[in-house]
Amino acid sequence: MENILLGLEQVADPAVILYIGMGVMVGVVFGALPGLTATMGIALMAPLTFGMPTLLALPFLIGVYRGGLHGGAITAIMIGVPGTPANVPTVLDGYELAKKGYPQSALRYALFASVAGALLSSVLLFTLITPVASLALEIGSPEIFGILLFSMTLVTYISGARLSKGLMAAALGMFVGMIGLDPMVGTPRFTFGTVGLLGGVPMIAMFIGLFALPELVGPVEQRIAKRSGRVPSAAESARPSFSAPDDNIRLRDVIRHYWRRILVSASIGSFVGVLPGVGAETSPWLSYAAAKRGKRGKKFGTGEPEGIIAPEVATDAVVGGAFVPLLVFGIPGDVPLAVMLGALLAQGVRPRPSLIVDDPALLFGIVASVLVSSILLYVIVRPFTRFVRLIVYIPNWVLVPVILGLCVAGAFGVNNATFDLVVMTVFGFVGYAMRKTGVPLAPFVLAFVLSARFETSFRQSLLLERSFLVFVQNPFVLIMIILSLAVIASSVIMNARQRTRGMSSEETTP
Amino acid sequence: MGRARNYLDDRLLGALGCLVGVGLVRLVPHMVLGEAALIPGSDVVFIRGSFFPTAAAALIAVTGLWLLSSDLIMRRLNRESAPWPVHDLNRAEIFGGIGFLIGAAAYVALVIHVSFTIASAVVFFLLARWLGGKYVWALVLAVATAFAMDWIFGEYLRVPLPGRLL
């Protein structure tokens, strides 16, 4: 209780609430625009926060994340194109309901679901963070290695249908993560004599290059397709509708009719969020599948509100759960949080178990910001539902130059170094090549972020015990190793079955 | 903005992965400088600085080989090697995409060697026109955005962009 009050005290400042609100608005815009994602929003906004105090910068980025997750539902509903990969299930019923003439109702169901999921998982975050952090204080390098090994193998689950490509992406990410100084003895590795690489590959510039630049290629390809007479995409051919009726759907009605579904979906989302590496793209599908088995399941795909509520609750519920491993172990639950980790490190905040002892005000301030962002999502978006849907119609000739300028200014702004611009450009090509070859980005990013700690914990464990048996004699580590092998084995079997059946599956890269 | 989902042949990707992985493995001893035993003065040398980069590079090569061989085997068995189309590439779009990225690289070079504001105004205008914006509106957008970013980053965020004008 003391910790909750400490956290709320940090965010009680009107300036903090203002910054969270601004973050939510920016996030909604990024999430709502087709082709832009919450990840891009965080990557582009992070450099802007480096001059801010920590307890303004981080709440702002949390607001961007929160807004971005909900914003993706707007495009999913209005034009049938998911704004972020996590909003794919929302298209199935959200777009159908919009086509029936109730886009505003669909948007309200999505908003209320997002808020409900966000609030429930924030409460869970407040509840879990203290016991998990206290437990984490008792563990050492071997246990941290075990947790990170399990996290890295969970990467195989987010590879999509091609396990080999996912592992290749993870290996490449791990390699890139090792560029810089050896963490144990400080000697340079793959720095090519460049001062700019001594601290490792600049993370934010790399993320901007990987996520933002290749997305800007989309309108270029659309333009070429249009000129060559090919069929335009749904985003291009959509036209705004101003005649949608207002059904006056209220939050209390949604909670009254769907409280069971909300609780189940929030539990799914929070649990998935706690698992490192699994992320926001998996939970909405799990929740949608669970809801489809319910009594309203037969109506799914026809504009059934529960088909919108289930995935949206789960998507937002991931955030609370995902912050637990992020703040305690520095393990991001998904790709946007990997970028957020970069922002945390740039602010001088190193997530670690002892943060609860060293700086509880900061830790619980961040936790309270997650809660407040949930409330502000409702307060800000609810009055503007009718207008928020118009974001999706901003033309490409406005968006692309502005986003490109933000990419360059943002990448430069991190370290005031032109070298970062070079890194951003190089990884722009890398990100484009990965998309075109179907190599997923998520394993690359997660492996990159975890590689340094993975290596350090492994080598520290060996230093402490002077033997490889340290990983086998420790029961916790042994269990983690067995679980990791089980994850790999089941991924291999699932992939082999899919290939044998010749199933077609869509592989999206975040 | 939509996403194109066109995948190159897995054989090419696998072969590229093998080459990159093997190349990196060969490069590691030259690029990991000044290796030292973790316990100075001791003969017992645990995992050195080159171990993990070598392991990662080897994994890239192994996964490349896996991709290459599975593709060849599936073709030999006369089946589609992937459940989605691998030859659905539009050459014009690929060249357009690469051209855009080369243009972005040129823009970055101009920002570094000339000025962010001037380079941005020119590039934004050309890009907005090419993407279908009307002349006047593209000009307004380009100039306003370039100067606004220069001012916001310089005055408000305290990050003076290269060749700052305001």
Side-chain angles (χ1 to χ4, degrees):
Chain A
M1 191 63 192
E2 216 175 79
N3 294 330
I4 297 172
L5 290 173
L6 179 63
L8 290 172
E9 197 186 311
Q10 306 306 313
V11 298
D13 186 349
V16 176
I17 294 175
L18 177 68
Y19 271 73
I20 296 175
M22 286 194 316
V24 167
M25 285 193 288
V26 168
V28 166
V29 171
F30 268 93
L33 289 164
L36 301 189
T37 61
T39 309
M40 253 177 90
I42 298 171
L44 288 176
M45 291 298 116
L48 308 187
T49 65
F50 294 155
M52 296 178 193
T54 309
L55 269 173
L56 286 181
L58 298 178
F60 174 74
L61 291 176
I62 289 167
V64 172
Y65 186 28
R66 180 69 73 198
L69 284 178
H70 172 65
I74 297 171
T75 17
I77 288 166
M78 293 307 299
I79 56 175
V81 173
T84 67
N87 301 111
V88 171
T90 306
V91 174
L92 303 174
D93 279 282
Y95 188 48
E96 288 303 314
L97 189 58
K99 280 197 297 188
K100 282 181 177 174
Y102 301 101
Q104 204 159 319
S105 303
L107 288 171
R108 288 214 178 145
Y109 280 123
L111 173 64
F112 297 154
S114 293
V115 171
L119 280 171
L120 286 170
S121 75
S122 302
V123 168
L124 181 77
L125 173 60
F126 258 119
T127 316
L128 278 186
I129 193 88
T130 307
V132 171
S134 305
L135 196 67
L137 282 169
E138 306 297 322
I139 66 175
S141 296
E143 289 84 2
I144 296 209
F145 169 76
I147 293 169
L148 290 171
L149 176 68
F150 182 59
S151 306
M152 297 280 243
T153 55
L154 276 178
V155 146
T156 60
Y157 267 128
I158 55 175
S159 296
R162 300 306 298 267
L163 178 63
S164 48
K165 288 186 182 179
L167 284 175
M168 186 187 281
L172 191 59
M174 206 186 318
F175 188 89
V176 172
M178 288 171 197
I179 293 173
L181 294 179
D182 183 313
M184 302 290 281
V185 292
T187 51
R189 294 190 299 195
F190 278 87
T191 57
F192 300 97
T194 315
V195 169
L197 286 177
L198 282 177
V201 172
M203 203 188 293
I204 300 293
M206 185 186 79
F207 287 153
I208 292 174
L210 276 179
F211 293 109
L213 283 187
E215 285 294 347
L216 297 180
V217 173
V220 172
E221 289 176 341
Q222 275 180 14
R223 189 79 183 152
I224 292 170
K226 207 173 172 181
R227 282 186 171 179
S228 60
R230 290 175 79 192
V231 175
S233 67
E236 271 199 348
S237 51
R239 290 287 176 267
S241 161
F242 293 96
S243 60
D246 184 346
D247 274 350
N248 204 25
I249 308 258
R250 288 177 295 197
L251 176 63
R252 61 171 181 265
D253 295 329
V254 170
I255 292 174
R256 192 153 39 104
H257 291 301
Y258 301 102
W259 64 271
R260 281 195 192 88
R261 179 54 50 207
I262 289 170
L263 279 176
V264 170
S265 298
S267 307
I268 292 172
S270 300
F271 175 70
V272 167
V274 169
L275 293 177
V278 182
E281 291 142 27
T282 319
S283 68
W285 280 112
L286 292 173
S287 177
Y288 188 83
K292 209 170 174 191
R293 284 191 220 110
K295 56 183 179 184
R296 297 186 187 96
K298 288 197 171 74
K299 293 187 195 168
F300 276 27
T302 63
E304 166 58 37
E306 198 165 322
I308 303 169
I309 289 167
E312 286 300 312
V313 168
T315 302
D316 277 78
V318 161
V319 176
F323 264 91
V324 175
L326 176 71
L327 293 173
V328 176
F329 297 109
I331 299 175
D334 58 10
V335 175
L337 283 180
V339 182
M340 182 93 68
L341 177 63
L344 275 168
L345 294 171
Q347 283 281 339
V349 176
R350 193 171 56 84
R352 57 196 185 277
S354 61
L355 193 60
I356 197 171
V357 172
D358 299 337
D359 200 345
L362 175 64
L363 178 71
F364 290 102
I366 294 173
V367 170
S369 301
V370 175
L371 173 68
V372 169
S373 67
S374 325
I375 299 166
L376 286 178
L377 179 68
Y378 178 80
V379 167
I380 289 170
V381 177
R382 168 71 176 82
F384 299 106
T385 320
R386 191 183 286 273
F387 305 105
V388 151
R389 65 190 182 182
L390 299 176
I391 294 170
V392 305
Y393 302 115
I394 297 177
N396 286 336
W397 66 266
V398 171
L399 267 185
V400 174
V402 172
I403 300 293
L404 182 62
L406 273 178
C407 289
V408 170
F412 177 80
V414 178
N415 294 314
N416 273 18
T418 51
F419 179 74
D420 288 14
L421 292 177
V422 175
V423 168
M424 180 198 73
T425 312
V426 166
F427 279 95
F429 282 96
V430 169
Y432 182 70
M434 287 174 80
R435 279 161 204 261
K436 286 302 177 190
T437 53
V439 177
L441 276 173
F444 176 90
V445 167
L446 287 163
F448 171 81
V449 163
L450 297 178
S451 64
R453 294 196 63 204
F454 183 71
E455 182 183 2
T456 308
S457 59
F458 184 79
R459 291 164 75 182
Q460 276 177 348
S461 304
L462 290 179
L463 259 182
L464 286 168
E465 303 294 331
R466 314 285 176 106
S467 164
F468 283 95
L469 288 174
V470 66
F471 301 115
V472 181
Q473 285 170 345
N474 185 314
F476 180 82
V477 182
L478 187 61
I479 291 169
M480 287 288 125
I481 292 173
I482 292 168
L483 282 175
S484 304
L485 290 172
V487 165
I488 294 173
S490 68
S491 295
V492 170
I493 294 167
M494 260 168 40
N495 269 260
R497 278 193 186 150
Q498 278 179 354
R499 286 166 67 88
T500 310
R501 275 188 230 138
M503 265 168 59
S504 103
S505 68
E506 288 202 2
E507 185 170 286
T508 56
T509 46
Chain B
M1 291 184 254
R3 290 197 188 95
R5 292 195 313 276
N6 302 314
Y7 302 129
L8 284 178
D9 206 312
D10 283 349
R11 287 176 297 180
L12 288 174
L13 180 62
L16 188 64
C18 284
L19 280 172
V20 167
V22 168
L24 288 174
V25 168
R26 299 291 297 265
L27 210 51
V28 163
H30 306 285
M31 284 290 140
V32 179
L33 305 174
E35 283 226 81
L38 281 182
I39 305 164
S42 165
D43 289 337
V44 178
V45 174
F46 286 94
I47 306 298
R48 289 180 184 266
S50 59
F51 173 77
F52 274 90
T54 309
L59 188 56
I60 295 170
V62 163
T63 49
L65 189 63
W66 176 0
L67 204 53
L68 172 65
S69 54
S70 66
D71 192 276
L72 289 173
I73 291 167
M74 294 304 274
R75 283 171 193 278
R76 190 106 174 139
L77 293 172
N78 217 18
R79 286 184 215 172
E80 278 299 317
S81 64
W84 48 80
V86 292
H87 297 294
D88 183 22
L89 282 173
N90 181 281
R91 202 167 283 185
E93 287 175 12
I94 295 284
F95 281 131
I98 294 173
F100 173 82
L101 289 171
I102 292 172
Y107 168 44
V108 165
L110 277 175
V111 165
I112 292 171
H113 295 292
V114 178
S115 147
F116 174 84
T117 318
I118 295 170
S120 298
V122 170
V123 167
F124 291 174
F125 174 71
L126 293 173
L127 199 47
R129 284 288 291 150
W130 191 76
L131 287 169
K134 297 272 187 301
Y135 186 95
V136 172
W137 287 115
L139 189 62
V140 167
L141 174 82
V143 172
T145 308
F147 279 89
M149 282 187 187
D150 187 2
W151 180 79
I152 290 170
F153 274 80
E155 286 299 320
Y156 184 65
L157 298 171
R158 308 278 181 203
V159 175
L161 296 171
R164 188 184 164 197
L165 292 184
L166 293 179

